[in-house]
Every structure is written in C-alpha cells, then in structure tokens.
Amino acid sequence: MRIVLIGPPGAGKGTQCRRLVEYLDVVHLSTGQMLRELRGQNSALARWVASHMVTGELAPDHLVMRIVRQAVFGGGTSRGYLFDGFPRTLIQAQLLDEQLAALGQRVDLVFELRVPTNELVARLVNRAERENRVDDTAEAILARLSVYETQTLPLLDYYLGRVCVVVVNGLGSPDEVFGEIRGAIDLARGGGAQW
Ligand code: AMP
C-alpha cells in the first residue's frame, strides 16, 4: 500500500504520520526528515540544501528524487509506504508514478490535510517559539505557505481522477483527525481495495 499525505506546514502531518505508520505497519518516508539529515552533514551539498530550507524554498526536484529513489527503489520493501511531504511538485508526482508503474505499483490513496491559513500561521509561530526551530522565522513561514499554495496544492488536480483523494479537516484534535483518516482507510479496504 502506498499512501501520500499532502498538507501545508503546520497542518499536523508529522503527528498523523506517526499514527498511520503504527496503524498500517508501512515505512514512513519523510523527505523533510531526509533532507534535514543530509543538511547535517559537512559537505557542499549539505550547505546548498540548508540554503534552500532556510528560505522556505523547496529543494530541487532532481535532488529529492535521487534521495527517494535510493530509499524506495534501492532497498525496497513489501510493507508499503507512507509518503510524508512528498511529492511536493507536479514533476515529483509524475516521476513517482512512473517509477512505481515500472514496478507494477501505484499510489493507492492521497490524503489532503486541510487547515485555514490563519490557524497555520498561529500554530507555526507557536511551534517555532516552543521548539526553538531555527528554520521557522516569520518570513520562512509565510514563504513556505506560499510555496505550498503555488507548487504543492496543484498536485490535487493531478491526483483527482487518478487516485482516491480524501480531504481531511485538520482543525480537530489529533484523535479526531486520525479518526477521519482511519475511517477512509477502513472504508477503502472494506470496499475491496487491493493493497
Ligand atoms: P518538511 O519537514 O516536510 O516540512 O520539509 C522541510 C523542508 O524540506 C521544506 O520546507 C523544503 O525546503 C524541503 N523539502 C521537504 N520535502 C521536499 C520535497 N518533496 N521537495 C522539495 N523540498 C522538500
């Protein structure tokens, strides 16, 4: 089973992904986490990645695809994947589909975690203070939200008609949000989805 979770920064993707991974026993693949690990290394590539992340820009598609390819298509797993924060551009979505198709696989379900912008800004400012996140300056927060709207939201149009897309209200408590996600998964399974 391959699930994509799309949502703006601050929507609670991390929390929901942790629960989903436990519920479904799939591999959690967070490109944000992988890029943070890469950024921590002492290399020119690491510094280049850091310069993208600090401004709220996306990392280049070819770099992200290389990292994903190594993780997913290098080792491989029969357990399936939860893609968290990936794909984030149309090109990434198309390349992922191509690569999965070559293995006779596909994205099975896409979740969009939807939260109004004013609530996102409040959550991100709060989190930056609480967790002392150096990436989350006010400028970077606004830049990331605008990047999400212009580059990532169009993915939903790409997936609509191809894959089952489920819009989840991200405003509830983590339990309520997870209840919605789990409900959709159980429904898809009950409907005979072949995962
Ligand atoms: P995240 O933890 O998913 O919010 O990602 C943190 C940062 O990593 C983003 O603001 C981007 O700069 C970068 N990033 C993560 N995933 C991707 C992706 N799929 N494509 C491009 N950049 C990404």
Side-chain angles (χ1 to χ4, degrees):
M1 178 189 352
R2 282 142 301 268
I3 295 181
V4 167
L5 187 64
I6 294 177
K13 291 195 300 295
T15 307
Q16 296 304 323
C17 281
R18 276 190 292 280
R19 292 181 178 211
L20 258 176
V21 163
E22 206 175 296
Y23 186 59
L24 293 171
D25 189 31
V26 288
V27 174
H28 182 198
L29 193 141
S30 157
T31 43
Q33 185 54 36
M34 292 159 107
L35 287 165
R36 274 187 288 279
E37 278 162 23
L38 184 62
R39 185 182 64 177
Q41 295 167 8
N42 183 17
S43 66
L45 180 61
R47 284 185 287 279
W48 188 58
V49 168
S51 71
H52 278 86
M53 290 174 84
V54 84
T55 56
E57 275 173 80
L58 293 183
D61 289 327
H62 64 90
L63 173 66
V64 173
M65 290 314 298
R66 198 171 79 196
I67 292 173
V68 171
R69 227 176 352 251
Q70 277 164 1
V72 179
F73 304 98
T77 173
S78 55
R79 279 163 58 206
Y81 288 95
L82 172 61
F83 295 108
D84 167 11
F86 171 83
R88 252 177 159 103
T89 64
L90 204 50
I91 291 178
Q92 291 178 17
Q94 287 164 339
L95 290 172
L96 175 65
D97 277 355
E98 276 175 25
Q99 286 169 9
L100 288 174
L103 299 173
Q105 299 175 352
R106 51 173 297 189
V107 170
D108 299 295
L109 201 52
V110 173
F111 286 102
E112 182 206 349
L113 207 48
R114 200 175 280 180
V115 177
T117 307
N118 57 346
E119 170 69 16
L120 291 172
V121 173
R123 287 186 189 181
L124 289 167
V125 168
N126 224 309
R127 184 175 76 179
E129 282 171 9
R130 215 178 41 239
E131 297 178 12
N132 197 18
R133 289 191 173 217
V134 281
D135 292 351
D136 285 357
T137 60
E139 293 77 19
I141 287 171
L142 291 176
R144 272 209 285 281
L145 290 173
S146 138
V147 163
Y148 177 76
E149 275 175 27
T150 55
Q151 301 200 52
T152 306
L153 265 185
L155 281 188
L156 291 169
D157 283 338
Y158 171 79
Y159 279 126
L160 278 170
R162 280 188 166 82
V163 183
C164 175
V165 177
V166 180
V167 179
V168 176
N169 174 11
L171 269 184
S173 69
D175 281 346
E176 286 166 342
V177 175
F178 186 65
E180 269 194 55
I181 293 177
R182 194 180 48 201
I185 287 175
D186 293 347
L187 202 66
R189 283 170 154 174
Q194 293 296 306
W195 290 342

